[in-house]
Amino acid sequence: MQRAVHSARRRVLGPDDQDTLTSGANLAETLVRTGRPAEAREVLQDVVARLRRTQGPHAPATGAALTVLSSVLHDLGLTEEAERVCAQAAEAIVRAEGPVSERAVQARSNHITALLNVGRAGEVLADSRSLVADAERALGPDAAVTLHARHGLADVLRRVGRLAEGVPLLAETVAGYARTVGADHPATLHAHAQLADWLAASGERERAVREGRACLAGMERTLGPEHPDTDAMRRLLAVIRTGGG
């Protein structure tokens, strides 16, 4: 249905009309949700090219479309191309809104993640620290995008071999998630599971077991005892208890 609507708008309004481009972006998001990322990529590449030509490379709509395109490329396993597009999205959004709007902080965080995905962790530590400082100052320490950025910084520290610095930052992030969205929210549980794993890797087995138990209880309450994530947490806790974490 959406494809027919998009085709009709292209025919009646023209391919560069704002309504046509919006319907193209909406069609791409539907294609992603229905498991058709290759088709979504084709639609989005056309939308992005037309937005660049008609509205400019740094227009808000261009940045938004580039963000979705980068995610689609990542889903297709095209991580190098996804990183390049993600950089373009971040540049567009920062140019349009400044570096510390919520969208800009998220876009900068997305680009750091994209660089991690292509094995460039060593390049992003300074940028990741700067991003967290900017987000805390402009948006507050418990804003959703600040927590996401802090979580990302903890992961960067782990990846560059500085786990001892990453663990307290991750613990702070878990506490922030629990304060803002609740201890049983998926974001909190995901970070909490990581914390148990990282504590075990750091040799803090007793604390790792405590955090693992708390995380498992939350998953059992929220997801149910048979959920794959709950089962994975249960197996991780068993490994930690036996000293294999």
Side-chain angles (χ1 to χ4, degrees):
M1 178 65 178
Q2 272 192 304
R3 190 179 286 279
V5 170
H6 180 55
S7 296
R9 283 180 172 162
R10 283 177 68 97
R11 187 172 58 253
V12 174
L13 302 174
D16 290 342
D17 182 84
Q18 178 59 53
D19 286 344
T20 303
L21 295 172
T22 299
S23 75
N26 292 339
L27 170 60
E29 291 184 6
T30 298
L31 290 167
V32 171
R33 286 197 303 271
T34 55
R36 298 155 71 183
E39 294 176 64
R41 175 192 182 191
E42 183 180 345
V43 173
L44 280 166
Q45 286 175 327
D46 179 68
V47 168
V48 165
R50 293 180 185 282
L51 283 169
R52 281 175 164 156
R53 187 169 61 252
T54 59
Q55 298 188 26
H58 304 124
T62 307
L66 284 165
T67 299
V68 180
L69 177 57
S70 175
S71 177
V72 168
L73 291 167
H74 173 75
D75 290 346
L76 289 168
L78 303 170
T79 53
E80 295 282 352
E81 188 178 355
E83 183 276 319
R84 289 192 295 272
V85 172
C86 194
Q88 294 165 9
E91 181 185 5
I93 293 168
V94 168
R95 288 276 293 270
E97 301 182 7
V100 293
S101 72
E102 285 194 11
R103 281 210 325 145
V105 169
Q106 186 62 60
R108 291 166 65 192
S109 186
N110 289 346
H111 186 224
I112 288 169
T113 300
L115 287 166
L116 292 177
N117 289 336
V118 295
R120 294 165 64 183
E123 300 177 29
V124 301
L125 181 55
D127 286 345
S128 189
R129 288 191 190 279
S130 176
L131 175 61
V132 171
D134 286 350
E136 288 178 341
R137 183 173 57 253
L139 303 171
D142 283 347
V145 290
T146 304
L147 291 169
H148 183 74
R150 191 181 300 128
H151 195 167
L153 174 57
D155 191 40
V156 171
L157 287 165
R158 178 187 65 86
R159 294 196 193 205
V160 298
R162 297 166 71 168
L163 187 60
E165 294 178 63
V167 166
L169 199 61
L170 181 58
E172 188 182 324
T173 302
V174 172
Y177 282 139
R179 281 193 302 272
T180 56
V181 295
D184 290 348
H185 188 276
T188 312
L189 293 172
H190 172 67
H192 208 168
Q194 283 184 315
L195 178 60
D197 189 27
W198 293 13
L199 285 166
S202 300
E204 297 186 56
R205 189 154 67 95
E206 287 187 14
R207 187 179 167 201
V209 169
R210 282 199 310 273
E211 299 294 351
R213 283 175 176 161
C215 182
L216 178 60
M219 288 185 173
E220 288 176 339
R221 282 192 303 271
T222 305
L223 305 174
E226 306 304 324
H227 191 279
D229 290 350
T230 307
D231 185 58
M233 187 65 228
R234 190 178 295 114
R235 286 186 278 108
L236 173 61
L237 182 56
V239 170
I240 293 171
R241 281 173 167 153
T242 59

